[in-house]
Amino acid sequence: MSLSNGNAVKPFKIFVGYDSREDVAFEVCRYSILKKSSIPVEIIPIKQSDLRKSGLYWREKGQYESTEFSFSRFLTPYLANYEGWAMFVDCDFLYLADIKELRDLIVDEKYAIMCVQHDYAPKETTKMDGAVQTVYPRKNWSSMVLYNCGHPKNRVLTPDLVNSQTGAFLHRFQWLQDDEIGSIPFVWNFLEGHNRVVESDPSTLPRAIHYTRGGPWFEAWKNCDFADLWLNERDEYLNNEAKKAITN
């Protein structure tokens, strides 16, 4: 991590995809990161409405876009001023471990990005609140990405390119060579309903759960795997917010 103001460490920037239908998911994701982080972090929502107002996002909604940040996520290096490392993550994540552990996996500047390289083909035809479940190469790779924002290859990710390129180009990271994509252990993007914990192997315990099919904030997914963990975190978040309101 780069330094500023003498020995002060710059906060690790985490851009979280925001969808107006999943506000509570965003808040719980944010809460779970902040609660467990032992390093300074700055969490920035990627809100399509704000990006449109500022002239950074103008593409029309496609029929297969399941979230409001399906494409705007790729503005992460631009929004970070092409400086240092930053992270993008979908809002439907619950963090169970210190984000410092994830940031410390950044060991090689040769990588333009690092992510969990899933081999994932969902069985469901719909997800979340009825959105079409699409299948494509490198599915879910883009749902949590550590971006080396200053890497020369990532400078192509301008608003013009993000607003004009195809979903295949963006979600498959086609602006990069394969050896420029670093790998992260799957437990940092543990896919609910797909990945499994092996009782005899502690290394399979999730560090961050991704409710990619739909989380318990949707009625249809209220009994999904690890629903209790998310609901407990939500209740804790809401209780803390209520206490703040009384105090203020």
Side-chain angles (χ1 to χ4, degrees):
M1 295 294 290
S2 57
L3 301 178
S4 65
N5 301 323
N7 294 321
V9 178
K10 286 185 177 180
F12 182 47
K13 290 186 176 181
I14 302 174
F15 293 85
V16 181
Y18 181 88
D19 193 299
S20 55
R21 299 166 299 170
E22 299 182 88
D23 177 77
V24 69
F26 166 82
E27 294 293 352
V28 172
C29 176
R30 177 179 180 275
Y31 179 77
S32 70
I33 293 172
L34 291 173
K35 185 176 80 169
K36 297 173 181 67
S37 181
S38 65
I39 59 172
V41 295
E42 180 183 2
I43 298 180
I44 305 124
I46 290 188
K47 291 189 176 184
Q48 188 183 127
S49 57
D50 291 345
L51 293 171
R52 288 189 182 277
K53 288 176 185 176
S54 59
L56 297 177
Y57 193 78
W58 56 85
R59 70 186 295 159
E60 294 183 6
K61 185 180 187 299
Q63 62 175 322
Y64 297 117
E65 288 183 51
S66 59
T67 68
E68 295 173 11
F69 50 87
S70 290
F71 293 109
S72 56
R73 71 183 68 211
F74 298 103
L75 289 170
T76 292
Y78 174 88
L79 295 172
N81 299 314
Y82 301 112
E83 295 176 352
W85 285 83
M87 187 173 95
F88 169 82
V89 64
D90 286 4
C91 64
D92 54 355
F93 272 66
L94 177 69
Y95 280 83
L96 307 178
D98 189 344
I99 206 72
K100 181 180 183 296
E101 295 179 29
L102 178 59
R103 190 210 62 183
D104 286 351
L105 295 175
I106 302 168
V107 295
D108 199 328
E109 292 290 329
K110 76 177 182 182
Y111 295 127
I113 67 168
M114 297 181 70
C115 66
V116 176
Q117 299 182 11
H118 289 294
D119 180 11
Y120 175 59
K123 299 174 183 178
E124 300 82 14
T125 57
T126 60
K127 62 179 181 177
M128 290 170 37
D129 56 347
V132 175
Q133 178 70 277
T134 55
V135 180
Y136 52 86
R138 296 184 172 179
K139 184 172 178 65
N140 266 315
W141 286 29
S142 64
S143 59
M144 192 196 76
V145 181
L146 293 170
Y147 281 94
N148 184 357
C149 300
H151 194 285
K153 287 289 189 73
N154 287 331
R155 288 189 173 273
V156 305
L157 294 176
T158 62
D160 283 338
L161 182 134
V162 171
N163 280 282
S164 61
Q165 268 293 352
T166 64
F169 178 89
L170 293 168
H171 285 281
R172 300 178 197 176
F173 309 130
Q174 290 180 350
W175 70 93
L176 301 173
Q177 299 297 315
D178 288 353
D179 62 3
E180 293 167 332
I181 304 173
S183 181
I184 292 172
F186 80 94
V187 290
W188 285 102
N189 189 345
F190 190 102
L191 301 179
E192 180 276 329
H194 173 70
N195 292 128
R196 291 287 180 261
V197 175
V198 178
E199 290 188 11
S200 60
D201 185 359
S203 69
T204 64
L205 292 171
R207 313 301 281 164
I209 298 170
H210 183 189
Y211 299 88
T212 183
R213 301 184 302 168
W217 53 94
F218 292 118
E219 180 64 23
W221 296 99
K222 64 182 181 180
N223 295 317
C224 66
D225 293 345
F226 305 107
D228 57 331
L229 295 181
W230 188 90
L231 291 168
N232 288 340
E233 196 82 352
R234 181 204 61 185
D235 291 347
E236 184 179 306
Y237 159 73
L238 292 175
N239 286 336
N240 283 347
E241 289 300 297
K243 289 177 183 177
K244 286 179 187 178
I246 293 171
T247 303
N248 296 332

